[in-house]
Amino acid sequence: MPFDQVLHTEEARERLGQVDSDLVVAQLLGPILFTELATPTPLGPVQCARIVDDFLAGYSPA
């Protein structure tokens, strides 16, 4: 499912409020892409889940 579809679901709106999809995607994919480019070891599912959990913990809707 494309990110825009996920970010505009009812559940996402309840949890995040109105979001700038491009900004959210950049904040979530940035650490993953950086690690992919800068280190020899890719992130696994646990590390990717932590990135999402950290994003959700630090995100406060405007």
Side-chain angles (χ1 to χ4, degrees):
M1 182 179 288
F3 287 109
D4 280 340
Q5 286 181 321
V6 172
L7 294 172
H8 291 97
T9 63
E10 184 177 334
E11 182 180 351
R13 280 192 299 274
E14 288 173 5
R15 185 160 191 162
L16 303 174
Q18 186 70 18
V19 297
D20 177 341
S21 299
D22 293 333
L23 181 59
V24 170
V25 169
Q27 290 174 323
L28 290 171
L29 289 182
I32 295 167
L33 294 174
F34 175 81
T35 302
E36 197 63 33
L37 293 171
T39 67
T41 307
L43 296 172
V46 171
Q47 292 87 2
C48 291
R50 176 143 186 219
I51 289 169
V52 173
D53 290 343
D54 288 349
F55 170 81
L56 291 173
Y59 188 84
S60 66

